[in-house]
Amino acid sequence: MTFTIRRTAGALLLASTALTAMPALAQEAAEADANEIVVTAQKRSENLQNVPISIQALGTAKLEQLNISDFKGYAQQLPSVSFQSGGTPGTNVVYMRGVASGGDGNHSGSLPSVGVYLDEQPVTTIGGNLDVHIYDIARIESLSGPQGTLYGASSQAGTIRIITNKPSTAGFEGSVDGEINTVKGGNFGGKFDGMINAPLGDSAALRVVGFYQRDAGYIDNVAGSRCFLPQPGGFCVSNSAFVAENYNKTETYGARAALKVDLDDSWTVTPAVTYQQMKSKGSYAYDPSVGDLQLQRFAPEYLNDKWVQAALTIEGKLGSWDVTYAGAYLDRKRDSSSDYTDYSEAYDSLYASSGGLAGYFYFLDSLGRNIDPRQKVIGSDHFKKLSQELRVASPADQPLRFVGGLFYQRQSNDIFQDYKVANLGPQVSVNGSPGTLWLTKQERIDRDYAAFGELSYDLLQNVTLTAGVRAYKFDNTLIGFFGFGRNPGGNFSDTPYNGAGSSRTGVAGCFTTTGARLRSVAGTAGVKLAPGVIDGTPCNNLGVWNGSGVDPVRVKDDGLTWRFNLSWKATSDLMVYATASKGFRPGGVNRRADVGPYDADFLINYEMGWKSTLAPGLRFNGAVYQQNWNDFQYSYLGANSFTEIKNGPDARIRGIDADLSYNGGGLFLQVAGAYTDAKTTKNLCAAVDPTFTCTGAGNSIQSPSGTRLPITPKFKASGTMRYTAEMGDKKPYGQINVAYQGSASGDVRATQAAQLGELPAFTTVNLALGVEWSSFNVELFAANLLDERGQSSRFVQCGQCYQRPYVVPITPRTIGLRAGTKF
């Protein structure tokens, strides 16, 4: 069922319409105080209504009421947040306020533009966000706009903070929650969560959380075949060995433990450790040309995503100043297998005039016979992140206040991608790896250093000026191997050179023992390859020759970001503010030697906002902004279908964020929405062109000035109405949640966006009916009640694979029962 925008707006405004009909607007002030939301967005504990930035917070109660357990759940409720998925959980790339160029998420691509924090520690990673399981969470804070002063490089467009509930010495407590659900057209899923908080005397407490979740499958891998030229005489293959209903499923499990120790009245130490493992099978995307929620895959597909984070927070006082140390070490390993038959299908068609892959490439076995050209990709990423921050804060009750400190971060990724072709002969494989057509094995290291500070001064009792600056330095390196092999015969001059017949990419570009690239000395007697720097590689073609060996390719720079804010507390219930702020994202290294490094890009934000309490329990907050995104980084699948990153033109983003909520008398109402108008202000050229006229040999306009930026819808909103009645010791309740998002483009390039297809607008409706007792609750719920086939992302598997664009849908209608108890 498809809703028009008018009907959707009507559903979202249900809450505000009901507001005017409620006679209980004038609640007691005590109820309003109970609704106070405390956040730490500015590195201090403050009432949300007193924080002069655009921030939305989902507290413990709302997270539980909306049954949110993962990223997709809370992203749906945050209008400023959008994301792009590669079709598998844990591969979401997060965007805010339209700061999106598409194509991000590659292991050798741009750093994220949105920072993600777990408590005080950053957990932002390349290649997809850390999909932290949501249970026993105090709140999720969404900070829109550049947060470059307090949060640094990967908070160019905003920051998402997941704040856990901390151990408490107040008393023993615990909770257990369970759920079982079924997906329309799919199978059963469920989850089980538990928490225990145990005081260890008067000055210490331990809090432990455990969880298990099984997401039901609903994508079918149906029977199909692929035939490769020449016909007759080529290969026709079927996927009969992999046909299965409900092909996709995911299991997530793990635990979190935190120990809080009060050393004295002033100092507290809180070590914590979190472990999570996600095991996914199949794909969460479907092929519309095959059928609704159906695809055809010809190889095993899975993703195992395992991570552990050890964190330490030390809080105390030196005199009247607060001192905080926050350090963490994150270790994340992802192992995957994916079908890459689409590549073979696309290139077989592309070279049809030459006889397809059999006539143009050299997919041969050890005896020189043509073989089945299908590919699969075996991959792994090993992320490591060490972060440390030391900061101080002056007393919050003084007219002149300061927050500042030092930050260091080192994050690395060991990258491995093995493109396998069964029975590929050793002479046309990557050297030393028979059966491997293409190999990527690299080590990436990104280092960040910063000193930051914000100074706030009360010009008047109700007027505050804040100025902040962050001095940063980044140092990013990449080294290793990528590409095809090289036939070793005749001192690397024999043909075919490799399965693709490439004379330039891969081993051909490796350094020899003299420092020359192999392609320039192939055929010379006695030529030898310098050994690979990274274990498991035949040689090194990504690096810089230093006279005796290979150093990493390096990109580094330094600079300043800033923030200025003026806030006016007009009354005790109204604050207005104006902000100008600058955020950035570091530059980096392209893998291809013929593609230069990409520079940092910068976002400048001008914003005016308000925080108002219209009546006890009734809040209305919002912001109007313009953002100028200069020389934005954009990623795309270039030559040989691997990612290239370039600096594009400038873009201008204008928008409005607004949030209206009411809580009182058993009724909770909230409507939150965002309007985003994001467009380029110059032409996007096929080749680098400082003039952006896109003229000259090999150049053309890929997107004209005024092209809408991809991924982010112009309008996104969510609305919730919940009523809880008092019936003795029972509290029955009913809840409706409606979420809408408009249409969006899937690519910033005009031709590719048209081939990929638009992401259409959609609306979801979620219902819940339940009863709460003093320590027990039970609920019947329906998510995506109308079974909307909303599309969160679209993608193709290679740069020439637009014959099969894939759609990542939202989960079909899910009906379930959940129950829990607190003790």
Side-chain angles (χ1 to χ4, degrees):
M1 181 180 295
T2 302
F3 276 67
T4 65
I5 294 178
R6 181 176 297 176
R7 291 179 64 189
T8 301
L12 289 171
L13 290 173
L14 176 64
S16 59
T17 303
L19 259 176
T20 62
M22 290 300 300
L25 268 180
Q27 299 294 318
E28 295 295 326
E31 285 188 349
D33 291 341
N35 295 327
E36 179 178 299
I37 301 175
V38 175
V39 297
T40 53
Q42 297 191 120
K43 307 288 188 178
R44 298 178 185 269
S45 294
E46 300 171 282
N47 185 334
L48 174 69
Q49 295 302 100
N50 295 330
V51 181
I53 62 175
S54 180
I55 176 173
Q56 187 176 1
L58 303 175
T60 301
K62 189 168 184 182
L63 292 169
E64 293 178 352
Q65 291 167 2
L66 295 176
N67 197 17
I68 291 173
S69 61
D70 57 15
F71 167 77
K72 289 187 296 182
Y74 64 78
Q76 185 183 57
Q77 305 301 320
L78 300 173
S80 295
V81 175
S82 57
F83 64 94
Q84 189 176 21
S85 172
T88 308
T91 61
N92 300 308
V93 180
V94 188
Y95 303 108
M96 293 182 76
R97 280 189 172 177
V99 182
S101 60
D104 297 320
N106 185 272
H107 42 233
S108 298
S110 299
L111 286 164
S113 63
V114 174
V116 181
Y117 277 66
L118 180 58
D119 289 322
E120 292 286 341
Q121 289 80 10
V123 292
T124 317
T125 58
I126 304 167
N129 70 311
L130 210 64
D131 199 344
V132 179
H133 183 79
I134 304 302
Y135 184 74
D136 194 40
I137 298 298
R139 64 190 177 277
I140 294 175
E141 299 176 3
S142 175
L143 287 60
S144 299
Q147 307 297 323
T149 303
L150 294 180
Y151 293 98
S154 282
S155 289
Q156 177 190 47
T159 301
I160 295 174
R161 305 180 70 229
I162 303 170
I163 310 299
T164 63
N165 286 315
K166 301 302 186 291
S168 172
T169 58
F172 181 87
E173 61 175 322
S175 62
V176 176
D177 294 273
E179 175 187 315
I180 186 170
N181 60 60
T182 179
V183 177
K184 181 184 177 183
N187 51 21
F188 287 91
K191 59 184 177 182
F192 184 82
D193 303 290
M195 178 276 294
I196 290 178
N197 180 89
L200 305 175
D202 296 332
S203 59
L206 176 67
R207 197 176 191 100
V208 179
V209 174
F211 51 88
Y212 171 84
Q213 178 170 329
R214 184 183 189 277
D215 296 326
Y218 49 85
I219 303 289
D220 296 336
N221 189 17
V222 300
S225 62
R226 299 287 184 270
C227 290
F228 303 97
L229 295 172
Q231 293 300 328
F235 291 89
C236 283
V237 297
S238 78
N239 66 342
S240 57
F242 304 102
V243 170
E245 292 185 345
N246 308 321
Y247 179 59
N248 59 318
K249 63 179 180 180
T250 298
E251 290 184 305
T252 304
Y253 52 88
R256 182 175 72 244
L259 175 67
K260 181 180 179 182
V261 180
D262 295 327
L263 301 178
D264 55 27
D265 292 340
S266 300
W267 289 89
T268 298
V269 177
T270 308
V273 62
T274 303
Y275 169 84
Q276 181 172 307
Q277 182 158 2
M278 179 185 293
K279 293 184 175 181
S280 293
K281 293 184 178 181
S283 173
Y284 279 72
Y286 70 93
D287 181 351
S289 68
V290 174
D292 182 38
L293 301 180
Q294 295 180 337
L295 46 59
Q296 295 171 344
R297 290 297 170 88
F298 295 77
E301 294 196 303
Y302 62 81
L303 173 65
N304 294 333
D305 187 352
K306 178 174 64 176
W307 58 271
V308 61
Q309 185 209 48
L312 176 64
T313 304
I314 303 174
E315 300 168 288
K317 284 186 174 293
L318 289 177
S320 59
W321 284 56
D322 295 324
V323 179
T324 302
Y325 167 80
Y329 180 75
L330 172 69
D331 190 305
R332 182 186 190 187
K333 296 180 180 178
R334 300 197 312 180
D335 299 304
S336 63
S337 173
S338 57
D339 181 26
Y340 206 50
T341 299
D342 287 4
Y343 177 96
S344 302
E345 179 187 44
Y347 277 84
D348 195 58
S349 176
L350 183 66
Y351 297 123
S353 62
S354 301
L357 289 174
Y360 196 86
F361 280 17
Y362 303 91
F363 285 15
L364 309 172
D365 64 13
S366 58
L367 299 178
R369 299 172 299 191
N370 284 330
I371 58 174
D372 176 358
R374 288 177 300 158
Q375 297 182 49
K376 67 177 179 181
V377 184
I378 305 297
S380 69
D381 289 285
H382 189 179
F383 301 97
K384 298 177 183 178
K385 179 193 287 281
L386 172 67
S387 64
Q388 299 189 77
E389 179 174 298
L390 178 65
R391 69 174 183 270
V392 297
S394 65
D397 58 355
Q398 297 299 307
L400 182 63
R401 300 174 296 281
F402 174 78
V403 175
L406 302 173
F407 176 81
Y408 168 73
Q409 178 176 266
R410 183 187 189 275
Q411 48 189 339
S412 65
N413 183 16
D414 292 335
I415 304 163
F416 172 68
Q417 296 281 301
D418 187 351
Y419 292 73
K420 306 287 290 186
V421 177
N423 302 314
L424 189 68
Q427 299 298 99
V428 290
S429 298
V430 172
N431 303 54
S433 301
T436 296
L437 175 67
W438 175 289
L439 177 68
T440 298
K441 210 167 191 310
Q442 302 164 349
E443 182 181 69
R444 171 176 181 163
I445 300 177
D446 298 299
R447 305 170 184 84
D448 299 286
Y449 311 83
F452 62 92
E454 281 198 351
L455 193 65
S456 297
Y457 180 64
D458 296 334
L459 301 175
L460 300 172
Q461 188 174 4
N462 60 347
V463 178
T464 301
L465 176 65
T466 298
V469 66
R470 188 181 188 98
Y472 66 82
K473 177 181 179 181
F474 66 83
D475 184 356
N476 302 336
T477 61
L478 190 62
I479 190 171
F481 174 84
F482 71 97
F484 301 110
R486 180 79 174 206
N487 191 325
N491 293 306
F492 300 101
S493 64
D494 283 1
T495 57
Y497 294 129
N498 45 59
S502 173
S503 62
R504 296 191 59 80
T505 303
V507 174
C510 279
F511 291 102
T512 63
T513 52
T514 65
R517 300 275 187 175
L518 176 63
R519 70 174 71 93
S520 64
V521 294
T524 303
V527 63
K528 293 183 179 179
L529 295 171
V533 175
I534 308 298
D535 290 342
T537 58
C539 49
N540 208 101
N541 61 358
L542 177 60
V544 178
W545 184 257
N546 62 18
S548 59
V550 181
D551 293 330
V553 181
R554 171 173 265 111
V555 172
K556 59 182 179 179
D557 201 358
D558 54 61
L560 296 173
T561 60
W562 43 262
R563 182 172 85 102
F564 297 97
N565 181 277
L566 182 65
S567 63
W568 173 40
K569 192 79 171 177
T571 70
S572 60
D573 295 325
L574 174 64
M575 179 183 68
V576 293
Y577 67 88
T579 292
S581 56
K582 181 181 181 180
F584 89 105
R585 181 168 47 166
V589 180
N590 271 294
R591 287 181 283 171
R592 291 183 66 98
D594 56 347
V595 179
Y598 53 95
D599 297 327
D601 59 0
F602 299 90
L603 184 75
I604 298 178
N605 175 59
Y606 304 100
E607 178 178 329
M608 295 186 67
W610 67 91
K611 301 286 181 75
S612 65
T613 302
L614 304 179
L618 178 62
R619 296 190 177 98
F620 180 43
N621 301 336
V624 180
Y625 64 87
Q626 174 167 315
Q627 299 182 141
N628 299 326
W629 192 14
N630 300 321
D631 301 325
F632 66 76
Q633 298 171 14
Y634 78 102
S635 304
Y636 62 96
L637 294 174
N640 300 116
S641 289
F642 69 84
T643 300
E644 296 181 21
I645 308 97
K646 294 182 180 179
N647 289 94
D650 298 343
R652 183 270 299 153
I653 306 168
R654 292 173 179 161
I656 301 173
D657 303 331
D659 187 341
L660 174 68
S661 65
Y662 172 73
N663 195 356
L667 178 67
F668 173 78
L669 295 165
Q670 183 175 38
V671 178
Y675 172 80
T676 308
D677 180 20
K679 298 178 179 179
T680 61
T681 58
K682 298 176 182 177
N683 296 329
L684 175 64
C685 302
V688 176
D689 182 355
T691 68
F692 298 100
T693 57
C694 307
T695 56
N699 210 350
S700 62
I701 297 176
Q702 289 197 310
S703 294
S705 175
T707 297
R708 183 177 163 193
L709 293 180
I711 312 302
T712 303
K714 274 193 173 182
F715 182 63
K716 182 182 178 184
S718 65
T720 302
M721 180 171 68
R722 181 184 178 95
Y723 184 75
T724 303
E726 297 281 351
M727 297 179 61
D729 64 341
K730 297 183 289 295
K731 294 182 178 181
Y733 62 85
Q735 176 178 281
I736 180 171
N737 173 259
V738 182
Y740 168 83
Q741 68 179 55
S743 61
S745 168
D747 199 296
V748 70
R749 298 166 297 168
T751 300
Q752 287 77 7
Q755 292 175 317
L756 197 59
E758 186 178 65
L759 295 168
F762 66 91
T763 300
T764 56
V765 178
N766 308 314
L767 292 179
L769 295 171
V771 181
E772 295 178 344
W773 288 267
S774 58
S775 60
F776 181 75
N777 69 281
V778 61
E779 178 183 283
L780 178 68
F781 69 90
N784 192 10
L785 177 69
L786 304 178
D787 196 33
E788 278 280 282
R789 192 67 72 242
Q791 300 181 13
S792 62
S793 299
R794 282 177 169 249
F795 67 91
V796 292
Q797 288 200 313
C798 75
Q800 298 293 334
C801 292
Y802 285 91
Q803 83 281 4
R804 290 187 184 275
Y806 289 91
V807 172
V808 182
I810 62 174
T811 306
R813 179 169 59 233
T814 303
I815 297 175
L817 179 69
R818 63 186 187 122
T821 183
K822 293 179 170 58
F823 53 88

